[in-house]
Amino acid sequence: MLTPPDRAELAPPGSILYYKVADLDAAFSARGVPAEAPPRLIARMPDHELWMAALRDSQGNYFEPMCERR
């Protein structure tokens, strides 16, 4: 999923990337990856909850792993 940034500090030159992962807690606690926001509930759907976390890669690019929890 691609989306424009919602905060000025996240504005181009980059884009925010979202990665669907099976285990959000494991993705969030990856060693050496700077955390921006801990795993949080984004939306309750009829058959699952959407959870996301926010991280930065080694070049400082912002990305969000997400998972569907049932």
Side-chain angles (χ1 to χ4, degrees):
M1 179 170 73
L2 297 174
T3 184
D6 61 354
R7 298 190 325 250
E9 66 268 18
L10 302 176
S15 298
I16 299 172
L17 296 177
Y18 297 88
Y19 296 97
K20 188 173 182 181
V21 298
D23 186 343
L24 184 60
D25 295 320
F28 181 74
S29 62
R31 200 174 297 195
V33 180
E36 293 288 319
R40 65 212 182 275
L41 177 63
I42 300 298
R44 284 187 168 80
M45 308 297 190
D47 64 339
H48 68 278
E49 295 177 340
L50 178 63
W51 284 73
M52 297 174 115
L55 303 164
R56 290 206 183 258
D57 69 12
S58 60
Q59 270 78 63
N61 298 305
Y62 188 88
F63 68 99
E64 294 203 11
M66 61 184 185
C67 77
E68 296 174 355
R69 294 182 177 167
R70 300 192 186 282

